[in-house]
Amino acid sequence: MSDAPIFLNHLGIVCALGGDIASVRTALFRDDAPGGVAVDDTLVPGHALALGKVADGLPSLDHHPVQLRGRNNALLRAAYLQIHDPVQQAIERYGPARVAIVVGTSTSGIGEAERAMAHWQQHRGWPAGFHYVQQEIGAPSRFLAAESGARGPAWTISTACSSSAKAMASAARLLRAGLVDAVITGGADSLCEFTVRGFMALESVSAERCNPFSAHRHGINIGEGASLFLMTRAPGAVRLAGWGETADAHHISAPEPQGIGAIEAIRLALARAGLSPAQIDYVNLHGTATPQNDAMESRAVTTALGGAVPVSSTKPLTGHTLGAAGAVEAGLCWLAMTDNPEHRLPPHWWDGASDPTLPPLAFVAPGDRANGPLRHVLSQSFAFGGSNAVLVFGGE
């Protein structure tokens, strides 16, 4: 197994902040007002909720069979089209069998199944254009294989909110093992009533824009999006320098309160990257704005990294994109590390009311800038069941 550096050469992204790199970058670094998340009263009848909904039109999937159609895959195609040319160049250079696909999701085609079930209840028959395969967890990787022509190993990881971060680590292992030369990796999740109502049942959903780490925080905003990278061993502007994965198995939905598994994941990622905590320039927090997650994460960051490193949660902008969150937030880190001559940092939008029960963190205020280019950035994803994944990115 090789220890050759792994690079995130190209990015495609779509989320509530915009439908491409340029629009997402502009909205991410706004310092006058937060964008992205907005109140929507159409997804869950009778409930007006702040959601991270993709407003841009999505590309057609009519050229694919019905089994591969659906909003989740349309989000993936919107991201994939942004990296289509370099992916095709990689396929031509290495051969289709040497280009793999590893992506994460938690919803896959659940939204299509919801609408089909409503139709069945009314008409006692399935609607045209629905196939049960649309909702299978493996659908995203099958779709990308069909869309791109890549014929290497292809699979989908579903570990709730750590799914796409773990997919990126898995993709890196494929490259390190020498089994492939390029990987399309990242993830996608689409808004559906099932996930929103599930978090409502846990009393974890905020009707307003979420407020991470505030004394007044009271829940998350669900979002949707897709983020894909072309990952290779060919040098590029951003490296996947390290990753760490742990499993607490503390509780089906609540995090281990002291952050034991999260701390270990951070330390494993730093060790793999060969870095000390003091070398991290910025941390993208999981930052869901739920009471227990924020409490655990603040303890974990303070213990593993100290309280001086600049940190922010970007979920008030994108919403919590669940299985896509790790890849979407990796994409935001990539944007902060490339074509950013003013060294702007992703802001932490909240009410500024610190929770006195939590260790203090150095939250990035809108308009804050680093002293120079970001050299090392860390992104955290903590999921149900105690599935923890931490990624470390290195710059030029």
Side-chain angles (χ1 to χ4, degrees):
M1 181 175 288
S2 169
D3 289 331
I6 304 298
F7 293 90
L8 303 172
N9 301 96
H10 301 278
L11 167 68
I13 189 168
V14 56
C15 63
L17 288 174
D20 54 33
I21 283 177
S23 58
V24 171
R25 186 192 300 277
T26 298
L28 174 64
F29 293 119
R30 281 182 60 182
D31 57 13
D32 56 341
V37 166
V39 174
D40 182 284
D41 60 0
T42 61
L43 184 66
V44 181
H47 296 273
L49 299 171
L51 300 172
K53 189 173 184 178
V54 171
D56 297 69
L58 297 178
S60 171
L61 302 183
D62 288 347
H63 58 299
H64 286 289
V66 65
Q67 293 94 327
L68 296 180
R69 297 178 195 168
R71 186 168 180 84
N72 217 55
N73 287 345
L75 289 165
L76 276 174
R77 186 166 190 241
Y80 170 75
L81 289 175
Q82 299 170 48
I83 61 171
H84 169 272
D85 289 352
V87 168
Q88 294 306 308
Q89 291 165 12
I91 289 173
E92 183 176 348
R93 177 180 180 183
Y94 303 120
R98 298 290 296 179
V99 180
I101 297 164
V102 188
V103 291
T105 194
S106 65
T107 59
S108 195
I110 290 175
E112 282 65 43
E114 287 176 349
R115 289 183 286 277
M117 181 59 71
H119 186 279
W120 188 90
Q121 289 173 334
Q122 183 176 358
H123 303 287
R124 288 298 184 265
W126 300 113
F130 172 72
H131 194 289
Y132 77 95
V133 170
Q134 291 170 315
Q135 65 188 315
E136 291 182 349
I137 288 296
S141 51
R142 286 200 303 272
F143 168 78
L144 284 172
E147 178 72 18
S148 67
R151 294 294 178 264
W155 65 81
T156 309
I157 291 174
S158 187
T159 53
C161 308
S162 62
S163 300
S164 52
K166 291 178 72 66
M168 293 176 66
S170 184
R173 286 191 288 269
L174 268 178
L175 287 166
R176 285 276 178 90
L179 297 174
V180 297
D181 296 301
V183 189
I184 304 167
T185 185
D189 253 2
S190 46
L191 281 169
C192 56
E193 193 171 346
F194 175 81
T195 49
V196 176
R197 286 195 180 276
F199 280 95
M200 289 173 66
L202 294 172
E203 299 181 347
S204 295
V205 172
S206 172
E208 301 84 33
R209 190 184 300 269
C210 67
N211 200 5
F213 298 91
S214 167
H216 305 138
R217 69 190 185 278
H218 50 80
I220 68 176
N221 306 142
I222 303 295
E224 65 178 356
S227 179
L228 292 174
F229 295 93
L230 178 61
M231 179 188 288
T232 75
R233 291 182 292 269
V238 178
R239 291 179 295 114
L240 179 56
W243 59 89
E245 300 169 89
T246 60
D248 296 340
H250 168 75
H251 187 274
I252 192 170
S253 59
E256 194 286 318
Q258 302 307 315
I260 294 172
I263 293 166
E264 181 64 13
I266 294 169
R267 289 174 172 167
L268 286 170
L270 290 174
R272 182 170 272 114
L275 298 173
S276 69
Q279 291 175 279
I280 299 298
D281 298 318
Y282 163 73
V283 177
N284 185 282
L285 301 167
H286 190 55
T288 60
T290 57
Q292 293 187 57
N293 178 85
D294 288 5
M296 177 280 290
E297 189 169 20
S298 62
R299 297 181 187 114
V301 170
T302 303
T303 300
L305 299 169
V309 59
V311 301
S312 67
S313 169
T314 48
K315 287 184 172 66
L317 301 173
T318 64
H320 189 350
T321 57
L322 304 179
V328 168
E329 290 160 23
L332 302 184
C333 292
W334 192 94
L335 293 176
M337 299 179 77
T338 61
D339 298 324
N340 184 13
E342 297 180 354
H343 317 312
R344 294 171 295 179
L345 293 169
H348 185 84
W349 289 98
W350 66 321
D351 63 3
S354 299
D355 185 338
T357 68
L358 305 184
L361 297 174
F363 295 112
V364 175
D368 279 1
R369 287 159 168 73
N371 293 327
L374 295 175
R375 298 296 305 277
H376 302 109
V377 167
L378 186 145
S379 183
Q380 304 181 160
S381 298
F382 305 128
F384 280 0
S387 177
N388 307 305
V390 173
L391 305 176
V392 175
F393 308 107
E396 293 180 301

